[in-house]
């Protein structure tokens, strides 16, 4: 599965870890997420550690309008993270939410950094990854 990891993921996380705590929040189930993170080498890397790992059980549904149609979708509300962890340490002043789905920023639009989806991992191996 390391071949399905975005290029430079480990290097990026190691650099980010120098200044930030790292949190993984996924729409996967807990078991699936654990297997994926282990296979990608993110659970026991020598140059960084994950502070928090959250699965889809910590997300909730909201209703929104997309192209004139009402839709329900799951969101990641950073407020839940900030309430669960020491408030003096984490909050809107020092949190960056990196995600490839714009709808995941519905509850915290000012904290988001949207990246391109990584759908063609095997065919795009070795090429650079675009960031918006």
């Amino acid at each position: 599965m390391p071949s399905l990891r975005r290029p430079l993921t480990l290097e990026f996380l190691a650099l980010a870890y120098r200044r930030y705590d790292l949190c993984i929040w996924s729409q996967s189930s807990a078991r699936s997420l654990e297997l994926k993170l282990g296979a990608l080498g993110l659970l026991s890397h020598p140059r960084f550690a994950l502070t928090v790992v959250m699965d889809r059980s910590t997300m909730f549904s909201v209703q929104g309008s997309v192209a004139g149609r009402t839709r329900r979708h799951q969101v990641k509300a950073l407020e839940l993270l900030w309430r669960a962890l020491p408030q003096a340490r984490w909050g809107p002043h020092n949190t960056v939410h990196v995600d490839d789905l714009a709808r995941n920023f519905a509850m915290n639009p000012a904290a988001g950094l949207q990246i391109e989806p990584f759908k063609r991992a095997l065919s795009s191996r070795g090429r650079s990854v675009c960031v918006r």
Side-chain angles (χ1 to χ4, degrees):
M1 187 167 304
S3 65
L4 299 180
R5 186 174 52 225
R6 284 179 183 260
L8 302 174
T9 296
L10 299 178
E11 294 81 357
F12 169 76
L13 292 174
L15 285 171
Y17 185 63
R18 293 179 183 176
R19 295 196 146 182
Y20 294 94
D21 292 315
L22 303 177
C23 172
I24 301 288
W25 196 346
S26 174
Q27 290 187 34
S28 298
S29 69
R31 181 68 182 137
S32 176
L33 179 56
E34 182 181 4
L35 291 171
K36 289 175 189 176
L37 294 178
L40 290 170
L42 301 181
L43 292 179
S44 59
H45 198 275
R47 294 179 51 212
F48 62 84
L50 301 176
T51 302
V52 177
V53 175
M54 299 188 312
D55 67 3
R56 68 177 174 208
S57 69
T58 57
M59 298 174 70
F60 59 91
S61 293
V62 297
Q63 187 169 302
S65 179
V66 177
R69 296 170 60 184
T70 301
R71 292 203 141 146
R72 295 189 66 75
H73 61 90
Q74 297 287 102
V75 294
K76 299 172 181 176
L78 292 175
E79 186 71 31
L80 295 174
L81 178 66
W82 299 329
R83 284 186 197 169
L85 301 169
Q87 290 188 348
R89 187 165 178 186
W90 294 294
H93 64 286
N94 65 357
T95 303
V96 179
H97 174 182
V98 180
D99 208 309
D100 64 352
L101 292 174
R103 67 178 182 241
N104 286 339
F105 301 117
M107 300 301 293
N108 26 263
L113 174 63
Q114 187 176 356
I115 60 174
E116 292 289 330
F118 192 57
K119 294 181 179 177
R120 291 181 220 89
L122 294 175
S123 64
S124 64
R125 194 177 338 171
R127 286 193 265 153
S128 64
V129 178
C130 297
V131 178
R132 287 187 227 185

